[in-house]
Structure formats: C-alpha cells, structure tokens
Amino acid sequence: MNTSSYQSEFEKLLTRDYFSTKFNSQRKNAFEQFLKKNLSKKSWDDFRFTNFSALKKNVFRISEISDAPNKNFKYPEPFTGDNYKIVFNNGHYQKHLTTLPKGVEIFKNLEYYNDPKNKVAQSAASPFDLLNTAFMDSGMSLVVENNIKIKSPILLVFINAGKDQLMISPRIHIDIGKSSSVSLVEHHIGFGNGNFSNSTTILSLKENSHCKHIRLQKDSDQAINSGNIHLKQEKYSKYYLSHFGFGSSLGSVGVNSDLNGQGAECHLSGLCLTKNHQHLDTHILINHKSPNCMSSQNFKTVLKDYSSGVFNGKVIVHKDAQKTDSSQSNKNILLSKNARMNSNPRLVINADDVKCSHGSSTGEIDQDALFYLRSRGIDYKTAKSILIHGFISEIFESLENPKIVNIIKSDFDKWIED
Amino acid sequence: MLEIKNLHAKVENKFILNGINLNIKPGEIHAIMGKNGSGKSTLSNIITGKDGYEITQGDIKYKNESITEWNPEKRSLHGIFMSFQYPVVMPGVNNTYFLKAALNAKRKYNGQKELDAARFLKIIKEKLQDLKMDSSYLQRAVNDGFSGGEKKRNEILQMLTLEPSLSILDETDSGLDIDALKIISDGVNRYKSPDRSFLIITHYQRLLEYIEPDIVHVLIDGEIVKSGDKKLALKLEEKGYGWLEK
C-alpha cells in the first residue's frame, strides 16, 4: 500500500497551529497502528471482502481552514423543514447555521475534553477508526441536559464539497442526560470530487435516556464515506438506529455498542441499495455486558450491476449478562449475476440464560412472485419494483417522520429506474 | 374463446402434455379433472404464460389469436386470468396497492383513466362484501398470514376486480371448508355471463356441485382421454380414474 500520502498529510496536520497539540500522542499512537496494520486483509479480517483500492490509490489532502466554504456557498434546504440543525461543510462547523433547542449545549471538543471525565476515545475496531483518531478535526460535542424531551429531530448535515480530494474527519460527541430523549438525523451529502469523509460519532446514553438516530448516507458517487458509531449505554437507556446507505463508491458504517447497564436496549436496522461498482459495508458489534438487555439487528441490501456488500454482525454476551434477548437478521437480494454479498452473522455466548437468534439469507428475486404479479397484468419492471419495495419497506415504514420516508422512497424510485 | 390444438409441451426435457385439444366457447364452463401429475397445472401455467415450459407442437388461440409468444402481462391485459392453486405470499406488498396497480394497468391498457384511491376503494369494497371479506384484508400484505380459505377468496377478489373473459380456476376448491366453497362458488356464479368462459381444474367433483360445468374432460398423462357432460364427473367420483387408464 502506498501510505506515503497519508504520512505526509499526517505530518502536515501536526504543524498546523489551528489543531491543538494536546492530542498529538493519541494521534501518533493511532497513526502508528494504522501504518503497522496497513490496509491488508490479513490485519483486518472483517474487511477481507472489502475493496480498499480507492483508499490505497487516491491521494487525499486534509481539510484545512482554507477549505471552509465561502460566504456565497448555497446550502441545500434541509429536507426536514424548520427543525434544529448543525451544519458541517468539509468538516468545518458552520456556527451561523446552527439552531438548537433549549437544554442542548454545543462545545468544541477541546472544551469538552477539559472535563477530566471526558477522554479521547481511541477505538482500533477498524482502519477508519484509527484514521479518525489520527486525523480528527476540532470536532463538536452536543450535551443534552437531564430530563429534556426534544420532539423535533436535530439535523446534523455533513456537506462534502471540496475541489480537491479531501480527507474529512469529524469527531462528534453526543451525551444524552438522564431521562432525556432526542431524535437525530445525520445527513451526508457530497458534491464534486471523491472526498474521503470519515466521521466518528460517540454517543453516551445516560440512565433511562432515549435516542432515535437516522443516518442517511447520500455522498457523491466517487466519494468514500465511513461512519463509525460508538455507543455507551447506561441502564434502561434505549437507542434506535436506522441507517440508509445509498451514496459513495465505498461506504462503510460501523456500530459498536456497549450495553453497560442493565435493561438497556439497542435496536439497529439498515438498508443499502447498491449499483455499478459500488461497495457498501455494515459492521456491527454489540457487547451485552449487563443482565436483562435487549438488542436487535435487521439489515437488508439490494444489489445491482457489479456492486457488492458486506454484513458483519456480531453479538457478544458476556458472562454476567443473563436474560439477554438478542436477535439478528440480514437479508439480501441480488439483482445481477455479477453482484456479490458477503454476510456473516455471529454470536458469542458466555452466559447460560439467554435468548439469542440469528439468520441470514441472500438470493435472487422470487420468480414465482414475479409471475404472480405479471399474471395480473403488471409489467415486468413494475412487478420487480413492487417486490423489492415490499422487501425493503419494513426498514423505513416504522420511521415517524413522513418527510424522511418520502425522501427514502424517492431515492429508491431513482435507484430502481437507473 | 380458447382453442387449443394438438398441444405438446415439456419441462426440462420431460413431456408433460401430449397432444391436448380443447375448445371453450364464450359463456361455457369446462372442467378438467385428473390425478396428481396428469398435467393439469402445467396446462393452466402454459395458458397464462409461465416461464420454464417448452411448447414443441401445436398452438393456443385466445379470441382467434395465437398467444404462445405473448408474455404473461399481455395475456392478463387481454382478459386471461388464473386463480392460483398456491397463491404467492408477498411480505411487505400491501394488498390494496397490489390490486390497484393491477386494475390500473388494465385500465391504462384499455385507454381508460386510472382510478384514484377513493374511487378504487369504493369499487373494491362492494366486491369484498360479495365475498364476505372484511375490509381489513386491504391493509394486509398480499396473502401474508392468510389462511387457505382467505387466500382463495383473495384470488376470486382479483378475478372480480380485473373482470377477465377467460378465468382458469386451478384447484380453487383445495383446502376450502364448505362455507368458503359456497362463498367462492356464489362469487363465480354471479360473475358468469354469455361472454365469459371458465376452465375449472379440480381433483374432485365437489366444486362442480356448486359451479355447474357444461363439459367435463378427463386428463391422463397429458392427454384428454374422455369428455362428457357433468355426469362424467359423478362417474369419476364413483369409479375413480382406473377404468380410463390404458
């Protein structure tokens, strides 16, 4: 692998005075691990079916202050209407566009880390995690006080629109206080050249808090987009993720959840639609560390053309996590003989009183169902669309925001027409 | 309406139909009876255009046009309908959406205006009542979690909605209790008219007590070995198929 471009960018970053030197040791540590492990399949077993060539071949440049958008940048209208929002452009926080509800405070990470109990997370779960720690920008922390209920979603918009191929490495902390509830919509959009957007979101859910999180990845066709989500859940907290992977040439979402307090729940679902030579990954790790916790995974992919995908789902039930209730399902449809899916659901159980299920299926579209629809006068193309829509609908029909459902439906229509 | 001449067909190099001749005139009800494996379902699948069958000889004409090259949707749009022996379950596909798409495909093909949701519901609710179906059917996914009887009623609902000229009922009576059989038969009998024809495929004479056929055919090894009036069905019920086998 050609790591020299990462090396020179890393050295450049260390010299820039707008990045604090406070985290240089963490950065160096992560970058050394990245160099050591390389992007080789041997070091990254979960990524052995992932094509890293775009990461290896392309030369990315760090996003600098000069890459902040000029004042005339025309922002797309936030699709959810007048909700609360936080906007990042090429990784630069756009303070003037921010609107937040009462009870939510926003800090720079530097301020956030002033509190000694807030440590810099240094996950080594994936090469993306290591690169984020090495290259993280000044970042952002959202702190929701205790007992705050926010009904309207907070929109986090990530716009990647650099002229050069930028490496954008946001690091976001979201701390949700006791008995508070928040709804987040993370929206990734890209224009222009193939950027490498590699965001890490660290969510801390305090006792009895609730978080609904939608992640809509619609980065540009040439982009690389990775989202690394790390969850720390205290007792009786509930987290729901709906991930939609539509964009980018190489996309990856990783969720690492620690169910630390009893009765915590983590429910993850996702849908990926792929085409051309696109490759989209989903990597899930759920650690059941306490008793009476619940987790579920429901992920679907529909693949066209020469595209490919990976699902790695792992649940580890630790020895004290009795009465764990965990389910895992991954279903995929291949619409082309040249499309490929690798599905790998795994369970590691170290407790004896648990309820765990897992299942995976990958196949072509149901020919009998197709004939049934056509025998009712519905043409082949429409019949296919109806069946795939039926297959994926459970992933988005539970979403509460009709505007988001409409966006997803229209993206689906465009994808199927292509 | 339907004219089948010397039809030979095979599946994966195995001949299933060995020279079928059948002529159904407008307004007629024909029944085909036969044991498992006699070729009954193959015949109905071939008429509706399912993939996987190769016609090696003969022809199928519908309203005087050869249809063997037509795709399934074209056959449907021209008025051929089959009530499936095993209706397909389609999780996530809403029944109303499916029925409306099918009806509007037909209306569009016939140059009629497509129906909006309100007008469609009005039409469909009348037909539901005819079949004693609860309107909650419409909210469910197509055949998902339906009982055997509900699935068959859903097939007849589609027939009544699409108003075909030729309806093939493929073992519609199998798995039905007597009440469901009556409801379905009543639906079919009300739908009968001088310009609509039926082909009823069945193992048993039971359904033919409710839907009276004009002609009964016996299918053995892919050939029609005997045809007669409804008394033939009673004779088969009494004597079985043995006396007709070679």
Side-chain angles (χ1 to χ4, degrees):
Chain A
M1 169 200 175
N2 177 15
T3 50
S4 61
S5 64
Y6 290 94
Q7 185 92 50
S8 60
E9 287 307 298
F10 186 67
E11 279 155 19
K12 201 159 91 186
L13 179 135
L14 296 181
T15 66
R16 293 296 188 264
D17 58 4
Y18 39 84
F19 291 113
S20 167
T21 54
K22 208 174 159 184
F23 310 113
N24 281 2
S25 67
Q26 285 97 331
R27 288 185 193 279
K28 282 176 184 164
N29 179 295
F31 193 63
E32 272 164 27
Q33 284 189 65
F34 171 75
L35 289 181
K36 202 171 140 194
K37 287 196 153 186
N38 217 305
L39 284 169
S40 78
K41 310 266 160 179
K42 270 187 200 155
S43 330
W44 300 108
D45 192 48
D46 282 349
F47 292 88
R48 66 189 186 279
F49 298 112
T50 305
N51 185 351
F52 279 142
S53 63
L55 270 181
K56 293 177 184 174
K57 276 188 301 199
N58 297 358
V59 176
F60 301 103
R61 173 168 86 57
I62 55 169
S63 177
E64 310 213 41
I65 279 205
S66 53
D67 293 304
N70 67 37
K71 280 187 186 137
N72 302 324
F73 187 87
K74 206 173 171 302
Y75 286 88
E77 281 296 306
F79 60 84
T80 49
D82 296 312
N83 297 315
Y84 308 117
K85 64 181 184 294
I86 299 169
V87 179
F88 297 86
N89 193 326
N90 291 337
H92 296 274
Y93 168 55
Q94 302 299 302
K95 196 174 178 183
H96 66 290
L97 296 173
T98 297
T99 45
L100 281 176
K102 273 192 182 146
V104 181
E105 279 200 89
I106 191 160
F107 301 101
K108 288 193 168 158
N109 279 348
L110 208 53
E111 297 164 336
Y112 177 81
Y113 293 131
N114 274 335
D115 186 335
K117 71 176 191 297
N118 296 330
K119 304 265 190 304
V120 179
Q122 301 179 66
S123 169
S126 71
F128 299 110
D129 280 297
L130 290 175
L131 284 174
N132 182 277
T133 304
F135 288 94
M136 62 182 171
D137 57 28
S138 45
M140 200 53 64
S141 303
L142 265 187
V143 177
V144 183
E145 293 166 16
N146 295 340
N147 301 305
I148 299 285
K149 315 264 182 232
I150 302 160
K151 278 191 183 146
S152 277
I154 300 174
L155 190 59
L156 292 121
V157 191
F158 295 86
I159 299 165
N160 305 316
K163 277 190 197 118
D164 296 332
Q165 292 189 304
L166 296 179
M167 177 161 40
I168 301 161
S169 310
R171 176 163 293 214
I172 318 285
H173 292 268
I174 298 170
D175 291 0
I176 304 171
K178 279 184 188 173
S179 301
S180 290
S181 61
V182 184
S183 158
L184 303 168
V185 177
E186 209 183 303
H187 187 202
H188 296 256
I189 31 180
F191 308 96
N193 294 325
N195 293 308
F196 172 24
S197 166
N198 181 27
S199 64
T200 292
T201 310
I202 300 157
L203 287 121
S204 160
L205 278 78
K206 297 285 185 300
E207 185 179 338
N208 200 34
S209 64
H210 289 199
C211 177
K212 289 193 174 171
H213 185 180
I214 295 170
R215 185 175 191 273
L216 192 52
Q217 196 267 89
K218 294 175 65 176
D219 216 328
S220 77
D221 286 351
Q222 302 89 36
I224 299 173
N225 186 298
S226 176
N228 321 303
I229 298 170
H230 296 269
L231 294 160
K232 304 269 176 260
Q233 290 190 242
E234 292 186 7
K235 60 183 177 183
Y236 306 116
S237 63
K238 287 185 185 170
Y239 175 77
Y240 300 84
L241 174 72
S242 306
H243 170 252
F244 298 93
F246 298 157
S248 75
S249 68
L250 170 63
S252 178
V253 64
V255 183
N256 288 271
S257 171
D258 284 342
L259 298 170
N260 294 327
Q262 70 159 325
E265 294 184 21
C266 179
H267 302 282
L268 311 174
S269 64
L271 168 67
C272 291
L273 302 176
T274 63
K275 62 182 179 185
N276 302 328
H277 282 87
Q278 198 177 12
H279 178 95
L280 296 181
D281 271 16
T282 304
H283 301 274
I284 309 293
L285 172 62
I286 297 178
N287 272 301
H288 278 265
K289 292 182 171 175
S290 277
N292 299 306
C293 291
M294 195 190 268
S295 71
S296 66
Q297 297 171 46
N298 186 11
F299 286 85
K300 294 187 174 185
T301 308
V302 191
L303 304 101
K304 294 206 296 193
D305 309 325
Y306 288 83
S307 62
S308 54
V310 169
F311 173 80
N312 276 317
K314 192 174 185 181
V315 174
I316 302 176
V317 182
H318 294 248
K319 77 175 193 321
D320 297 326
Q322 301 296 358
K323 305 278 182 196
T324 286
D325 183 343
S326 159
S327 68
Q328 195 180 26
S329 163
N330 174 233
K331 290 182 181 165
N332 313 296
I333 291 183
L334 301 170
L335 294 179
S336 143
K337 281 191 178 120
N338 300 307
R340 218 157 24 93
M341 183 73 203
N342 287 286
S343 174
N344 192 12
R346 281 175 293 177
L347 261 175
V348 180
I349 301 176
N350 297 311
D352 49 22
D353 184 13
V354 301
K355 193 175 121 192
C356 293
S357 67
H358 67 164
S360 163
S361 69
T362 299
E364 291 171 20
I365 198 158
D366 181 349
Q367 293 299 319
D368 286 337
L370 208 51
F371 173 62
Y372 188 73
L373 290 171
R374 295 176 75 193
S375 79
R376 299 312 186 234
I378 297 169
D379 67 85
Y380 176 81
K381 216 172 139 188
T382 310
K384 203 168 96 173
S385 166
I386 288 175
L387 288 176
I388 299 166
H389 192 278
F391 171 73
I392 65 171
S393 61
E394 67 167 324
I395 304 291
F396 60 81
E397 275 178 356
S398 59
L399 299 181
E400 286 154 6
N401 188 324
K403 283 181 182 161
I404 294 173
V405 172
N406 284 339
I407 289 268
I408 292 164
K409 279 187 179 170
S410 87
D411 284 334
F412 170 76
D413 290 340
K414 265 184 246 157
W415 172 84
I416 196 116
E417 277 297 316
D418 249 7
Chain B
M1 180 74 70
L2 184 76
E3 198 181 356
I4 298 178
K5 268 190 186 160
N6 191 30
L7 187 71
H8 291 252
K10 60 183 182 180
V11 181
E12 290 167 358
N13 284 323
K14 191 177 172 233
F15 275 96
I16 309 285
L17 301 182
N18 299 301
I20 300 267
N21 290 292
L22 186 65
N23 191 357
I24 304 177
K25 295 195 175 73
E28 283 184 350
I29 298 180
H30 287 228
I32 290 188
M33 299 182 72
K35 293 197 291 192
N36 278 336
S38 58
K40 302 190 302 294
S41 285
T42 297
L43 180 63
S44 49
N45 284 337
I46 283 187
I47 299 169
T48 39
K50 191 172 185 183
D51 278 347
Y53 300 92
E54 191 194 337
I55 295 174
T56 55
Q57 257 189 79
D59 196 10
I60 305 170
K61 278 186 175 161
Y62 169 74
K63 293 183 178 172
N64 299 320
E65 273 189 272
S66 174
I67 60 167
T68 55
E69 298 297 318
W70 292 9
N71 64 28
E73 49 269 43
K74 185 170 179 188
R75 297 182 201 206
S76 169
L77 293 168
H78 280 253
I80 298 176
F81 177 88
M82 173 166 76
S83 166
F84 279 56
Q85 183 182 0
Y86 303 110
V88 181
V89 177
M90 289 188 273
V93 180
N94 175 277
N95 221 358
T96 308
Y97 183 81
F98 159 60
L99 287 168
K100 188 164 159 264
L103 179 58
N104 277 336
K106 178 147 194 175
R107 290 180 66 91
K108 202 174 158 190
Y109 190 78
N110 292 335
Q112 291 166 292
K113 214 178 138 202
E114 293 182 43
L115 292 178
D116 60 26
R119 286 192 58 206
F120 171 76
L121 278 178
K122 195 168 173 275
I123 291 173
I124 209 77
K125 283 198 170 150
E126 284 168 20
K127 304 199 191 290
L128 279 173
Q129 278 173 2
D130 284 352
L131 294 169
K132 298 188 169 58
M133 289 167 87
D134 191 88
S135 60
S136 65
Y137 267 101
L138 296 174
Q139 306 313 319
R140 293 163 73 183
V142 181
N143 297 322
D144 195 11
F146 283 30
S147 71
E150 286 175 328
K151 282 183 187 165
K152 295 298 169 78
R153 270 192 257 185
N154 203 24
E155 294 293 290
I156 301 304
L157 175 67
Q158 292 166 45
M159 181 187 86
L160 298 179
T161 306
L162 295 175
E163 301 185 336
S165 304
L166 172 68
S167 301
I168 302 164
L169 308 183
D170 190 1
E171 306 214 12
T172 296
D173 51 336
S174 66
L176 285 191
D177 61 37
I178 202 79
D179 289 337
L181 190 64
K182 271 185 184 159
I183 292 165
I184 282 178
S185 310
D186 286 348
V188 171
N189 285 328
R190 268 198 303 273
Y191 185 66
K192 275 194 307 197
S193 82
D195 54 2
R196 290 169 179 161
S197 309
F198 291 85
L199 178 60
I200 297 169
I201 288 168
T202 180
H203 275 287
Y204 306 107
Q205 186 275 138
R206 193 176 70 153
L207 177 65
L208 307 179
E209 285 176 17
Y210 296 93
I211 307 171
E212 211 172 282
D214 298 301
I215 299 171
V216 175
H217 309 275
V218 182
L219 192 67
I220 293 177
D221 293 334
E223 271 183 274
I224 291 177
V225 295
K226 196 164 179 65
S227 302
D229 62 14
K230 63 180 179 185
K231 284 181 212 140
L232 179 57
L234 288 167
K235 199 169 172 186
L236 288 168
E237 188 80 355
E238 191 189 320
K239 294 173 77 173
Y241 292 98
W243 60 287
L244 290 166
E245 282 167 354
K246 284 170 197 166

